[in-house]
Amino acid sequence: MTSVCQQSLFCPTTEEFVLPVFHGNDRVEWFLQLSDQIIWDIADKDTGEPRARITMNPGDVAAMPADIRHKGFSQKRSMLLVWENATPDLPKRYESGELPANPIQF
Ligand SMILES: [Fe+2]
């Protein structure tokens, strides 16, 4: 199920067990963990070199950078809300360096 509001895609999903493939991002994805838990293995998008493993619990929010690939594992069915900006030229703008891969600087 997806709600589409112009270029905004809001996708509540259910995740269970290991997602079958690494998903390579071409833009930032925002994750809001709604229930249960997902463990994410995050690697460099191009080289596959591991960068992080994060555990998301209910209420956790993560901004997945535009230059990563990721694969999730959920011990039981969990709810995850994914938000993406579907503006068509975003992948080109990230690849050129016009936009930073991380949407937040701490
Ligand atoms: Fe992704």
Side-chain angles (χ1 to χ4, degrees), residues 23-25 29 31 70 84:
H23 179 246
N25 282 4
E29 293 176 317
F31 287 176
H70 54 176
E84 288 189 24

